[in-house]
């Protein structure tokens, strides 16, 4: 993965062990400051920049990931392919590509912007709050996955009908349907009408 000034300054391999900072934004998505990651998620939450990735295989199936059981936020639930937060000064596109590789061991063969969505989702289990200005990305994955077990419990490729059945059984992340619905126009353009998204 390419190293940018933002990723180099925030890399966990720099040995400093410093707190992870997020970019705080206003309602229009303009950067207004930074906050430590956990404090930004403590109730009532601080509005911050995030991203969500939806990758599909050549059959138009969506790659889901089950978040690792050891994660402090929404552990063990199913969610979209990848989601996270850009480092301060890091472009959302670069962050989305970086985290997809870090979590799943694969680089998208195609990745395109799919708009933004703003939401406020409390997590009843942890008490944490997702106050996010979320940049959406859709794309393709064509290489074998190599998930990091500290990040990802399981993965699954699902059709639209299979996702509906899984979602009815749960559990999924609190933000999943919000980001999926916001990304649907771009998903339909990517996968075609026959895929059913």
């Amino acid at each position: 993965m390419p190293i940018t000034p933002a990723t180099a300054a925030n890399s966990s391999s720099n040995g400093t062990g410093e707190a992870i900072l997020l970019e705080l934004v206003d309602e229009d998505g303009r950067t207004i400051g930074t906050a430590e990651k956990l404090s930004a998620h403590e109730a009532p939450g601080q509005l911050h920049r995030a991203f969500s990735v939806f990758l599909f295989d050549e059959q138009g199936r969506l790659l889901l990931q089950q978040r690792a059981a050891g994660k402090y936020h929404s552990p063990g639930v199913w969610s979209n392919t990848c989601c996270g937060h850009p480092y301060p000064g890091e472009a959302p596109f670069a962050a989305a590509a970086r985290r997809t590789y870090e979590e799943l061991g694969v680089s998208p063969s195609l990745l395109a912007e799919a708009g933004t969505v703003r939401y406020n989702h409390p997590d009843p289990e942890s008490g944490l709050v997702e106050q996010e200005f979320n940049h959406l990305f859709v794309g393709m994955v064509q290489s074998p996955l190599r998930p990091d077990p500290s990040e990802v419990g399981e993965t699954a490729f699902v059709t639209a009908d299979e996702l509906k059945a899984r979602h009815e059984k749960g559990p999924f992340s609190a933000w999943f349907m919000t980001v999926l619905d916001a990304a649907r126009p771009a998903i339909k353009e990517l996968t075609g009408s026959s895929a059913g998204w």
Side-chain angles (χ1 to χ4, degrees):
M1 293 300 297
I3 301 298
T4 67
T7 57
N10 292 282
S11 172
S12 58
S13 62
N14 63 14
T16 61
E18 293 178 11
I20 296 173
L21 295 179
L22 307 185
E23 228 174 52
L24 300 180
V25 299
D26 65 15
E27 292 291 339
D28 295 314
R30 292 184 292 251
T31 302
I32 58 171
T34 60
E36 190 276 324
K37 183 177 179 180
L38 183 57
S39 68
H41 288 88
E42 291 173 341
Q46 296 174 278
L47 184 59
H48 57 275
R49 195 176 310 284
F51 64 83
S52 289
V53 177
F54 296 86
L55 295 183
F56 294 82
D57 66 9
E58 291 170 337
Q59 288 78 48
R61 298 180 303 168
L62 171 61
L63 172 58
L64 297 176
Q65 73 153 273
Q66 184 184 41
R67 293 166 63 82
K71 292 181 82 75
Y72 78 91
H73 191 344
S74 302
V77 302
W78 287 92
S79 199
N80 48 294
T81 307
C82 180
C83 53
H85 309 92
Y87 294 131
E90 182 181 26
F93 184 92
R98 171 180 59 81
R99 284 302 290 163
T100 299
Y101 184 80
E102 290 171 356
E103 292 186 10
L104 295 161
V106 65
S107 294
S109 57
L110 169 74
L111 191 64
E113 294 182 10
T116 60
V117 63
R118 192 262 195 250
Y119 53 79
N120 174 3
H121 285 302
D123 176 29
E125 293 293 318
S126 66
L128 299 174
V129 178
E130 290 286 5
Q131 283 267 20
E132 294 189 332
F133 188 94
N134 197 306
H135 297 257
L136 308 171
F137 298 92
V138 300
M140 300 282 297
V141 60
Q142 295 173 302
S143 303
L145 305 177
R146 296 184 321 260
D148 177 349
S150 69
E151 297 283 352
V152 180
E154 290 184 56
T155 61
F157 283 96
V158 297
T159 65
D161 287 341
E162 289 167 345
L163 174 61
K164 184 178 179 184
R166 276 178 176 259
H167 192 261
E168 287 170 357
K169 294 177 184 174
F172 273 73
S173 63
W175 62 86
F176 177 74
M177 287 307 298
T178 300
V179 293
L180 176 62
D181 287 344
R184 278 188 198 274
I187 290 171
K188 289 176 181 176
E189 186 175 337
L190 175 73
T191 62
S193 58
S194 62
W197 294 102

